[in-house]
């Protein structure tokens, strides 16, 4: 595998033919259609071939690709990948214009677009359409992300444009990106849209009807495409299960996926309260932290703070270990250890020292090592992966997680701009866990603690989906079997409906499962009458789901069966017009027959890049010819050894620690706090004040623990989701002490700290 450098372009950089990008987003409930128009112009005096490598959401289904040159529009067809590449090369060599769009062989969220032969002075407008499901976030918002940043990844040979070997990813600092972006969204839903938020400035939300179920929103003018555009869409009462039936395509044969109606169900399981309150107190918690160079600065600090909260929130009696990786990997303990005061302190000491100094992003080896460790009886394994997600071998990594999905649940966190959605969502989906994205100024802690709450839920087992349909109608499931259910988290299920029924017929789906030994079920009834005017949105998403399942299956099979599965994927992809790993979109302009004269010049169109880019040092030195050797290494989070020595006095002072983390860091593994000067300081009091206010008959640890709980409830209610689990642990510890005078303690604690927190609010 070669590493293609994403070298920064110099001041006299090659001209870029991409002029502007326009994006229109249409959201219907929790699925979206995205139309992107890329406008090119060749300002050079020779014909150009432009190659543009760009990211799309990992589960997007590209379903339309066309190019307009002058007044001529050519619509691309989906063909087997090798055939499409040959057709593209043939067209170029015979002087015709051609366009090729293909998914990377290594990662399903990277596409390359080859624009073949733009004549000098000529413009081309390329229209790309894709459909995608929107993931539900911990706070119930639906997340859409338009990736602007394609962080450099290892680019393997043989996955490129013409001939396939030389797709280079050039990337430039965002301030130099020479094209503009316009972005608008239209949202419609059966339930009112309560708000739309973004990490980029938006114009005000405009409602289109009095029920507020339809709205439009636009990106404010002047947006520099310097980061992902993230939209979070919130509906009122989002937790209702829904079903949409979409009519088949009139021109397709009945009995085929595109010819039959398809139903999309969104399920929101609600678990019995009795089961939910009995949080599990066992498990093997394995934390895997990315310490590659691009995690430097705020990212690694936030990860360290998060590990502190996680370690304090773990239940007594569980097991844990912490791995970290870059080009190599390290672990704190040779194998997972029982959680105790001693092991927790040892781990925290090592966490404090962690820096982003381990080089590249090689996640496969540590994962293999974790899976090679035998599981601990009656301690279900829960894996937490933190990464900024810039790996080339996405499919290989996800495959490994899938192979081991029977022995663990995997919770994944994409940190910062450009984290691969294919990697982060794939890890969680195949590992039966939950994925979260942490971008911009988001605090990592609330999202991670939400996932820990999921990990502490008892695992749902024996999940089955049963369809009840009228006589004469049968269903083919198009989604892989559901492997994970979490309280209030959506699961999507697609089914192809074959046969005819009476007009007002109804169907019903029952999801049965067992939770902590209790059999449970949820039901959804739905009308078989197709919805108005959904286009082929549901069919394309269903085709994409089936294509992805088959691709996973193909990687599991032997050579003979592999060919059969591949053939099935190609047929399905061509029939549905949806992209896959084995097909590509090809468009050839057979127009006026005028042959393009002159040698083709190949240009790689740079994608914007955040400064924390990872590349070999040789390439870095070439990119910064004026930079003294060793200086660059410093600013890019590389080994500090090559930096000139810095005197102590000019090192930045450590910022004071966040008061919440200060208090949390003093909690013992058992859940209690100890009465000492450090606790008094964290509470903002002197040791004398704290000692003097203690009721006489109360032991010191009970008093210290009650004070800490009052401080959390009084000062930090806005961050409750971050400390809720460790507070529950403190309350359990207090109950186990059977301490007298709890009421007196709470009153004295309120008087000392100046609050009025009720005893039952503390859970005592």
């Amino acid at each position: 595998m070669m590493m293609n450098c994403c070298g920064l372009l110099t001041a006299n950089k090659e001209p870029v033919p991409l002029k502007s990008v326009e994006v229109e987003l249409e959201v219907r409930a929790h699925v979206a259609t995205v139309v992107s128009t890329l406008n090119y112009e060749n300002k050079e005096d020779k014909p150009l071939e432009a190659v543009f490598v760009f990211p799309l959401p990992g589960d997007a289904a590209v379903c339309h690709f066309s190019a307009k040159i002058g007044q001529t529009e050519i619509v691309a067809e989906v063909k087997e990948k090798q055939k499409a590449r040959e057709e593209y090369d043939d067209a170029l060599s015979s002087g015709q214009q051609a366009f090729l769009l293909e998914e990377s062989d290594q990662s399903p969220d990277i596409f390359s677009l080859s624009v073949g032969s733009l004549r000098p002075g000529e413009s081309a407008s390329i229209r790309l359409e894709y459909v995608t499901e929107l993931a539900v976030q911990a706070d119930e918002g639906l997340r859409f992300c338009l990736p602007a940043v394609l962080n450099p990844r290892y680019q393997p040979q043989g996955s490129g444009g013409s001939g396939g070997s030389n797709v280079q990813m050039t990337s430039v600092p965002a301030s130099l990106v020479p094209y503009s972006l316009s972005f608008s969204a239209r949202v419609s839903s059966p339930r009112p849209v309560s708000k739309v938020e973004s990490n980029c400035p938006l114009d005000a939300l405009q409602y289109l009807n009095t029920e507020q179920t339809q709205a439009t929103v636009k990106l404010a003018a002047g947006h520099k495409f310097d980061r992902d555009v993230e939209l979070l869409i919130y509906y009122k009462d989002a937790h209702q299960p829904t079903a949409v039936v979409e009519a088949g395509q009139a021109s397709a044969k009945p009995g085929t996926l595109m010819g039959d109606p398809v139903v999309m169900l969104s399920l929101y399981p609600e678990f019995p309260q009795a089961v939910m309150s009995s949080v599990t107190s066992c498990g093997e918690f394995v934390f895997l932290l990315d310490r590659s160079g691009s995690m430097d600065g705020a990212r690694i600090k936030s990860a360290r703070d998060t590990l502190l909260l996680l370690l304090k929130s773990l239940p007594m009696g569980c097991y844990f270990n912490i791995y970290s990786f870059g080009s190599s990997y390290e672990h704190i303990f040779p194998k997972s250890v029982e959680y105790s005061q001693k092991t927790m302190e040892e781990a925290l000491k090592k966490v404090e020292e962690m820096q982003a100094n381990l080089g590249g992003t090689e996640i496969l080896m540590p994962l293999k090592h974790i899976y090679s460790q035998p599981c601990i009886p009656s301690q279900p394994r829960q894996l937490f992966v933190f990464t900024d997600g810039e790996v080339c071998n996405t499919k290989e990594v996800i495959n490994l997680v899938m192979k081991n999905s029977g022995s663990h649940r995997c919770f994944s966190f994409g940190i910062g701009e450009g984290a691969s959605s294919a990697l982060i969502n794939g890890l969680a989906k195949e590992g039966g866990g939950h994925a979260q994205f942490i971008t911009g100024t988001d605090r990592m802690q609330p999202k991670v603690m939400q996932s820990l709450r999921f990990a502490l839920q008892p695992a749902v087992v024996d999940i089955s989906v049963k369809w009840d349909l009228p006589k004469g109608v049968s269903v083919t499931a198009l989604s892989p079997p559901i492997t994970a259910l979490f309280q209030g988290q959506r699961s999507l299920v697609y089914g192809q409906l074959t046969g005819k029924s009476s007009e007002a017929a109804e169907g019903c789906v029952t999801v049965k499962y067992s939770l902590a030994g209790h059999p449970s079920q949820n039901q959804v009834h739905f009308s078989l009458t197709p919805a108005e005017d959904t286009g082929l949105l549901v069919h394309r998403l269903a085709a994409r789901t089936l294509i992805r399942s088959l691709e996973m299956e193909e990687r599991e099979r032997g050579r003979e069966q592999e060919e059969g599965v591949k053939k099935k994927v190609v047929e399905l992809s061509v029939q549905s017009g949806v992209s896959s790993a084995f097909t590509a979109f090809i468009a050839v302009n057979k127009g006026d027959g005028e042959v393009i004269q002159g040698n083709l010049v190949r240009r790689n169109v740079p994608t914007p890049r955040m400064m924390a880019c990872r590349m070999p040092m040789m390439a870095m030195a070439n990119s910064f010819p004026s930079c003294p050797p060793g200086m660059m290494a410093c600013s890019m989070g590389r080994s500090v050894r090559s930096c000139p020595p810095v005197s102590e006095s000019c090192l930045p002072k450590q910022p004071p620690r966040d008061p919440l983390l200060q208090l949390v860091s003093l909690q013992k593994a058992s859940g209690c706090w100890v009465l000492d000067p450090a606790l008094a300081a964290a509470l903002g009091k002197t040791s004398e004040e704290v000692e003097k206010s203690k009721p006489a008959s109360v032991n010191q640890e009970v008093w210290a623990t009650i004070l800490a709980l009052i401080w959390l409830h009084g000062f930090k209610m806005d961050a409750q989701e971050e400390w809720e689990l460790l507070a529950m642990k403190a309350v359990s510890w207090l109950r186990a002490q059977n301490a007298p005078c709890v009421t007196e303690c709470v009153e004295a604690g309120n008087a000392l700290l100046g609050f009025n927190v009720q005893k039952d609010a503390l859970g005592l």
Side-chain angles (χ1 to χ4, degrees), residues 271-272 275-276 457-461 485 487 513-520:
F271 298 159
V275 179
M276 289 312 296
Q457 281 180 20
V460 174
V461 292
L485 287 175
Q487 165 72 14
Y513 49 91
S514 174
L515 180 69
H518 300 259
S520 289

Side-chain angles (χ1 to χ4, degrees), residues 50 68 124 170 176 259 269 345 378 399 506 551 556 640 678 711 739:
K68 195 170 184 184
T170 47
L176 297 180
E345 278 178 0
S378 69
N399 234 23
E506 259 210 353
E551 286 171 355
E556 290 288 284
V640 181
W711 188 92

Side-chain angles (χ1 to χ4, degrees), residues 586-602:
I586 172 77
V588 177
N589 185 5
K590 303 196 169 89
D592 54 15
E594 182 193 322
V595 172
I596 293 162
Q597 303 298 328
N599 289 335
L600 264 188
V601 180
R602 187 181 178 93

